[in-house]
Structures are given as structure tokens and as C-alpha cells.
Amino acid sequence: MIKRYGDVAAVDDVSFEIAPAELVTLLGPSGCGKTTTLRLIAGLEMATEGSIWIGGRDVTHLSAADRDVSMVFQSYALFPHMNVLENVSYGPRVQGATRAKAEEMAHEKLKLIGLAGLEKRAPSELSGGQQQRVAVARALVLEPEVLLFDEPLSNLDAKLRRRVREDIRELQQKLRLTVAYVTHDQEEALAVSDKIIVMSNARIAQVGTPRGLYDEPHSLFVADFIGDATIVEGEVVSLDGGMARVRLAGLEKDLPSRGLKVGPAKLAVRPHGFRIWPADPGRPAIAGRVHKASYLGKHVEYTVETPAGEFFAIDGATERVPAQGTDVWVTLNDQGVALVPA
Amino acid sequence: MRGQQQTASSALAAPGVAPLAVALLGYCALPWHMNQSGGVGLGGWPGAILALKGEEPWLGPIALAFVLAATPFLTRLRGTKAGAWFVAAGAFGIFWIVAQGFSIGHRGWRFEALAALFGAPGPKQAGMGLGALLTVGGLLSLAMRGLAMRGWCRGDGFVVGAIGWIVALILAFVFLPIATILLSAFHDNSGHFAPGLFFEKMTDSSIWGLGCLGGGTACGVAWNTVFLALLVGVLSTALGLAFALIATRTQFRFRGVLRLLTVLPIITPPFVIGLALILLFGRSGAVSNFLFSTFGIPPSRWIYGLPGVLIAQLLAFTPIAFLVMLSVVQGIAPSMEEAAQTLRAKPLQIFNTVTFPLMRPGIANAFLLGFVESMADFGNPLVLGGNFEVLSTKIFFAVVGAATDQGRAAVLSMVLLVFTLGGFAIQQLWVGKKVYTTVTGKGDAGLSLPLPNLVKFGAYLTAIPWGVFTFVVYAIILIGGFVKMMGRDYTPTLEHYATAFSIEGGAGGLHFTGSAWPSFFATAEVALIAAPLTAGLGLLTAWLLTRQNFAGRNAFEFMTLLSFAIPGTVVGVSYILAFNVPPIELTGTAVILVICFVFRNMPVGVRSGIAALSQIDKSLDEASLTLGARSATTLRTVMAPLLRPAMVAALVYSFVRAMTAVSAVIFLVSAEWNMATTYIVGRVDAGEHGLAIAYSSSLIVFMLAIILGIEKLVGQRKLGRRGHAPAPAAPVAAAG
């Protein structure tokens, strides 16, 4: 589908499928079109071109009210003049259900979400996490074919965020919900998703499983956006089946070739793909100097200056941290190093 | 469950059936024209019968619209294609009805070209009635439904329909009258096209003469108006600024009283202040007599003319300037001044370099409002003007005076309209956008600086004498009705109230024998009908403007706010010119009064609605939509409860404005539907000042009671910890 505002395409030629009972995340930096995509699915925006199908039905021209889709908003959008029960039973009520029936449905979902007993509270009398769960219950009450989440965790504090995202994932798997989930937080996306769609500049950059995206990024953008990565210039010196021999700054390494030809190539190295040696390890290594070293409790983050550029690395050895300006030697681990096509 | 719901409802009512049925009912079953007495009763034939009988064959082609509309039902077309037929049917039907309505009038063809082509005088017909109204309304709704089926506004029939109706109503009751005025300015009074006459009237020295500069005769009325407006703009802004500074930046003990000052002008009929000034400074006024008996200064007529009108308008419009300046001064974040303070600026330096420059756009805004208000004012110049003529009174006398000259009234109206629209345009396009608001949503813990002494004493010197004077004037208004005759005979009496409001118990219950009762009941009735319509239409428009995206939204906004800038006198003249003849014949009825109030006061509803809606997160609407509520349901179940404070404000304001308006209605009242204000103006004219002031003060008290009553009744609901939504911006309009 395509969505244009005037000449600007907010969503440009985006096409994907969500399988039933699957949680798909739209991930990308702000302004990449991920929220617009979600609103197109919801029917809050209308596609300029293309079509949207839900459960075998073409809903492209249906308004939001006619689509079997519910949404959990970033701000939760709880109606402030209604209490929790009225909020959750709103959907069935405006669909014409009787009050008793609507409240029964609402009670069921509130119980499921662990909010039984708070029915008579006003939204403003709830904590942020509780409000968020009311919003989820309200979206679930119509048992929609697709449930949409628009950055649902961004208004929660860091500790709560981890717990709520686990709750959402658990609920989704338990009820076998089909979910589209928007976030700009790559860690959140990796944690909850079956499949991630990385978007950049209104287009899809890559679609894949969390592991696939992390281990085999298709582009420098994806490599950099999903987990940190240092991009290192290297050279493919020979090919052997699916493997390529890569040389960089005096090191040689065998990696899956991913369709690359002999010649200059770029590598994405994850922070744990580097190994830092305080003394010459006695095998080929890149000599460098510690530019920054931050002790973060369970690991140490390094920025190392080398002739091949600045490396960002983390190291689990925290007993002895080399001071700034110290000479170190860097080698590559087997994990966390990949050739990037293009 | 959503899917089932939908099929059920679409089986019950295929889209387009209801509006088509209404239109058909109007065309085939209800009387097409108004009956002879001007009512919309049930006498008379429907349009279809008139066409079949051959009496009015020009109503026949309307049937084609119904054929077009029926086509998709007969051929089982659905969706976009059916929509196209509906649009075509509605467009053709409305076009034909409007065209025939404007072409054929009371006395035959209404255009010379048509008369020349088909021979004079041609066919005749009366104004449109209930049948025509329902036909047009039904066809309009049908066309809008068709547009929605073609995907307009995300296919939301309610939104497209609402836009269509509001645009149609504004075209009919704001644009049509103005267009009529423009047209009639180019015609002589017997209806012939006469551009030469227009230029003659437009360049008349009574409008543009500059005699007063050379010490000769009086200046033209246009210059008088502009000169008065400039004075009022400058002085009311200065006074308003002084009051605002005192209210926000000093510890002045009577700050609370200033609040009262902001309510008074809203509930005071515009000419009452002029009346009080006469009672104080007129030839037999209280002050004049005191000066004569104590100092031997002979009473004169100085109050009648520029000084009197100026003082009266300042009293009336200073509170408006105060409201504007109050929000400006409060909008300056204390942290700005604190920053200057930490950079070691002295208090007076801070005021001159930070505080005042930040206020400057707001000052320009207040000035322009005072300027426009003064030009639009009618009541005070009417009561106090004497030989000092301004455009609004001149227009009035061109219509009702001894030398009635509609063309002249139209030309004068155009001049006044250009002035006020110019002021309004500058305010909207230039000043309105430059207002700095440095207070953001983030907390600002700073404290405003106290005023530098120089500024403080300046403000006190300006504001306190004026404040005292204002209260004297209002005291006169309140007590004036309880004495025999202000200035001459201070014997306490209830005689004036008895004349106005006596009630006698007799056979068959109470009889309201007081002379004021008929106009009082008529006013209250019209105001009570107009208020909910105004508030509803205004808030609906505000909702469309803030929540819906559609092509031409800016033009739509401009249209709805335009009637704000049209002075009441111009509205009055344009209404009698436009609605005295078919196709829309309304003069002399209560309907024209209600319509006049609704469209003059609607912008206030729009503004308070916009202010309130911008406080409400848009995702609330969207949440309701994704839960399957259509936009009409969302409006009712989510928006309406949240908009309650704005609704109260709009209701109160439109009610009060309808009770106190004089400039437009003075042209539109009839013997049966006389308004309180026009009745009072009549009493002033007849010299019955005691009765007039007694009636005025009763009106003021009555409106205060109503305001408090509505607020109590509708109430406000606290929305959690965040408390109330901020009160909507002060309603400010080109009153008069």
C-alpha cells in the first residue's frame, strides 16, 4: 500500500502479510512511517494506493468502525468521563449489545487481564501500568481479528516496561491473537516478536525473525538499527561454496558469503563480536588504544581507536578494566560478525 | 460480531432511502409555497401537483431529480456508482429549485434579461414553504450521502452530511444577504442596473468630505467613524492594559472586583451605558444639575456627540481589551523575566526590554478589536450621537428615516463592511499569528516580577479613576429606575417598574398588563430557541474543523468565522434586502430573528468549541472509532460529555447576546415580534428614561440569574486529577 500527503509519501510501497496468531512488529526510527502503516490497517487513515485484506476480506475502503480491528493507543486514550467498566464495555455497547451482555464481556476481559475489582475506578485513579492494561482489555473485548499496538510501552518507566511487554507476549500466545505492534525500541521488538519489519524512510528495509535480523542484516541501516554494530571495511579475498574468506586490517576470517563477490566488502561487528586483549595475544590481532571505557556492572563498554576505525565493544571480563589511553589488541569472535550485502 | 451488525443494518436501510423519502414527501405531499399569511401552514398545493395542474410548470423538471435518484435502486447499482447517481440527482434538483426560485418572483421575472427574452412581466410565484424546504433538504442530504459513498471524508456519511448542511446554511444566511447588499448597491431603488449611481453615492461628500479639517462643515461620515474608532482603540487598549497589569502583577486590594468588570459588558445591552451617561451628564442630568447649582456652570449638550459616544464606547469596550490583555500578560512566562533578572537587568529595564516587547502583538490585537467594535457599535451612537454621525447610524436612518434610500444604505454598508473586514483580516492574518505564548505545557515554577514603580503608578492613575467612574455608571443603571426622574426629582418610586412589569390577577388567572411584558416574552422566547441551535451548530462546526480532514477546510473555517466581522447594522440591512422577497421570505416572522441570532453568534460557539477540543486528545475519537462506533455515536458518547463546559459557555453566551442585541434586530422586529432592546430604544427616544432604565436593569438581573441557572443545571464534571479544562477564550465579537 502507499499513503501520500501531497507529494510526500509517508508509506511508500509497503507490502507484508501477518499470519494468524502471529505477532509482527513494525520497527524503525521516528518518522519512518511505521505508525502511519498501523493507522492504515486500523482504517484511521485511508491508503492512497494499494489494498488491505483482513481475514480474506478486502477492507481497503471500509472505515475504522467497520473493520474488525482494535487498537491500543500510545496515550491509551481511555475515556476520562467513564469508569473502567464503562470504558471496557464501550465497544459492545456501541455495537448494540445490551448493557448486561456488554458488562459481562467486559468483566471477562478485565479478569483475564488481572484488573477484576477495579471496575468502578476512573482512569485517572489508576497507575500507568493499570491504565495500559485497561486499554488492552478494551481493545480485546470485541475479540478482533487483528489487534494493533501503537508504542504501548512508551509511557511506562523502564522497569515496568520489561514486565508489561512480557505480559503482552504471554497474552498474545495464550489467546493466539494476531497482532501488529509498533515500536522504535529494538530491544522491545526483539523481545516480543515472531517477525520484525524494519522500516526506514517510508519503506521496508528488511523483514525477518529477531534472530535473522540480528545475525544477518541485509543493509547497513538494519545492522546499525538492530543492536549496535561497528561497520568495518574489509575485502573478500576468495570464495569457497557458501563461505567467503574475508581480510580486514591484517585479520583473516571465514564467514557466510551472503552472495558477495570477491572485492571490497563491509562487515557488521556486534559489540560482543570483538574480543579485547590487554596484552598481545600471540596471534593476528588489531592493535588499538582505549578511547573510552565505561564500567556498567555486568560488563564493560569500550571504544577502541584502531587503524581500521573506532570499534564499539563490550567485554564480560570486569575484574581489570584497562584505563583510557592504554594499548590493547582486538580480535574477532566467531559470533556477532557478519558480511553485509550492499 | 461486528460483521453481523453491519449486514443487519444495511438490510434495514439501504443508503439514500431516508433523504430521498423526505425529499419526495416535500415535493409530492406538502404545500410548496408559503401561504398568504406568511406562515408555513398546511394550506396550498404541493410542488408536484402545481406542476401537473400547469399552474407552475417550472416546478416540473424537479421530478427529473427523483428519476436520477431512483436509477441505482432500479438497476441494483451499489457503492461508488450509486453514489454518482445520488450526487447528480441532488445537484440537479437543488440547482433547478434555486434557479427557478431566484428567477421568478412576486411580480414576474426578477432579471431584466429574462424579461426581455420571454416577455414581461412573466410568471409569478410566492416564497418557498415547507414542501420546498423538505425537498431541498432531502436532496442535499442525498447528494452528501452520494459523496460519502464515493469515498469523501473516509466514507463517513455523517461528516459529509454535516459539512454539506453547514455550508448550505452559511451560504443562505451569511453570503446570500451580503451578495444581495452588493448587488443592490449597483441598482437604483426601482431595481434597474445603475453603476453610475453607485459611483455617485460611493464618492458622495457626505461620506468622504474633509470639511472639518479646513474648519468648515462637518467631516464625512466615514472619517467620523474611523476617527472615533481610532480613539476608542487606543484608549480602551491603554485602559485594558492598565487593568490587566494591576490584576496580575500587583497586590492591589480590590483586584477581585476587576473580575466583575469582565462580566458586566457581556450582559449589558450596548446602549444602556449611553442612557446612563445621559442621566448623568445630559442637560437635566444628575452631574449637570449639581454643577449648575453649586458652581453655576450652565448645563449644555456636550455629551451628545463625539465626547459622549467616545466615553460610552470606552465604558463598553475597555472590559474586552482587559480580557485580551489579561491573557497576554498571563501568557508571559515568569522565567523570561527571571532570566533577564539573572543577567542583572533592573526592573524598569526588564519591563522595557522583555515584558513589554512580548506584550506588543497582544496590544495590537486589543487595539484592532477595539477599533472594529467601535465601528460596529450602533446603540451608543444612536442614543448619544446627536449631530455626530457614524456609518452604523447613518445606515439605519437611510433605511428607516424620512428619506428612505436602500441603495444608499447598501453603499454605506459596503464602506463599513470593508473597514471592519479589513480590521478583522489584519487581526487574523497578521497580529493573531504573532502573539507570543511563552507559557508552555511544562511547569514553570518562576514568579512574575512585581511591576516597576513607574509603571505601577501609571497603571493606578489610569485605572482607578476609570474603575470608579464605571461603578458610578452602573450604580446609576441600577438605581435610576427607582427614582421619579434622575437629575430632577429623586423621590423613590416603583412607578417605572409598575408600568413595565405590572401583573394583575383577574378572571382567568394572571394578566401581564405591564408594557414591557410582550417584548420581554418575545425576546426570551427567541433567545431560548436560538441559544441551543447556536451552541449545537457552533460546536459541530468546531468538531469538523479540528477532527476531520477534508478538502477546503480552510475555506470552510473562513466562512464560519466571517459573520463575526460583519457589523450588526449591515446584517440587519442585508437581511431585509435578501429575505423580504421570494424565494426566501422571512421578514416579520420570529424565524428571521432566530436565524439572525444563530448565524451572528455561531462563531463564538465555534471558537469555544475549538479551544475545548484542542484540549482533548485526538486518540480518544480514534479509540472510539476502532471500537466500532461511528462518528455520530462518537460525537454523542465521547465528545459531548467532554465538551460540556464549552457547551455551557456557548449556550450562555448566545442566549445573552440574543437578549442584548440591538443593531441587527432593530431592522427585523415587527409589531408581533418586538424585542426588549428595541422597545427600550423606543422608550429612550420618547424621553421615558425612567422606564427604559428600569427595564434595562431588570434585563441585566434576569440574565445574571439565567447564567447562574444554566451553569448550575448543566454543571461541570471533574475529570480526574487534571481538574477542569481551562475556560475557553474570552468571546470577543464585532458587537453592536
Side-chain angles (χ1 to χ4, degrees), chain A residues 80-83 86, chain B residues 641 644-645 714-720 723-725:
Chain A
H81 58 297
M82 300 180 188
N83 65 28
E86 286 166 334
Chain B
R644 223 183 287 192
V714 185
Q716 295 191 358
R717 190 163 167 183
K718 198 162 173 286
L719 300 177
H724 302 290

Side-chain angles (χ1 to χ4, degrees), chain B residues 507-554:
Chain B
L510 295 175
H511 291 274
F512 294 89
T513 49
S515 64
W517 285 120
S519 63
F520 179 81
F521 287 135
T523 310
E525 189 181 337
V526 169
L528 280 174
I529 295 172
L533 292 176
T534 313
L537 206 55
L539 294 183
L540 179 64
T541 307
W543 179 74
L544 291 173
L545 284 174
T546 50
R547 292 300 208 263
Q548 304 295 330
N549 247 320
F550 50 91
R553 201 181 59 167
N554 289 337

Side-chain angles (χ1 to χ4, degrees), chain B residues 597-671:
Chain B
F597 289 139
V598 168
F599 289 95
R600 265 176 72 58
N601 299 330
M602 191 181 110
V604 178
V606 176
R607 290 212 170 166
S608 66
I610 289 178
L613 277 164
S614 56
Q615 303 285 327
I616 299 172
D617 192 355
K618 205 173 175 174
S619 62
L620 288 182
D621 303 43
E622 294 174 346
S624 176
L625 272 178
T626 58
L627 290 168
R630 285 165 194 292
S631 50
T633 315
T634 304
L635 199 58
R636 185 167 50 81
T637 54
V638 178
M639 288 298 117
L642 294 173
L643 281 176
R644 223 183 287 192
M647 226 179 312
V648 175
L651 268 178
V652 166
Y653 188 80
S654 51
F655 176 78
V656 165
R657 290 260 302 182
M659 293 284 294
T660 58
V662 61
S663 58
V665 295
I666 203 163
F667 296 93
L668 305 176
V669 292
S670 47

Side-chain angles (χ1 to χ4, degrees), chain B residues 187-209:
Chain B
H187 288 75
D188 65 19
N189 288 335
S190 51
H192 298 292
F193 183 62
L197 202 63
F198 168 76
F199 286 106
E200 195 180 300
K201 282 176 176 161
M202 189 49 120
T203 51
D204 196 285
S205 72
S206 73
I207 303 181
W208 302 104

Side-chain angles (χ1 to χ4, degrees), chain A residues 39 44 66-67 90 124, chain B residues 2 154 622 630 637 721:
Chain A
R39 292 167 60 84
L44 297 170
D66 299 327
R67 295 190 188 183
Y90 182 83
S124 56
Chain B
R2 218 176 296 199
R154 298 185 307 197
E622 294 174 346
R630 285 165 194 292
T637 54
R721 278 179 282 203

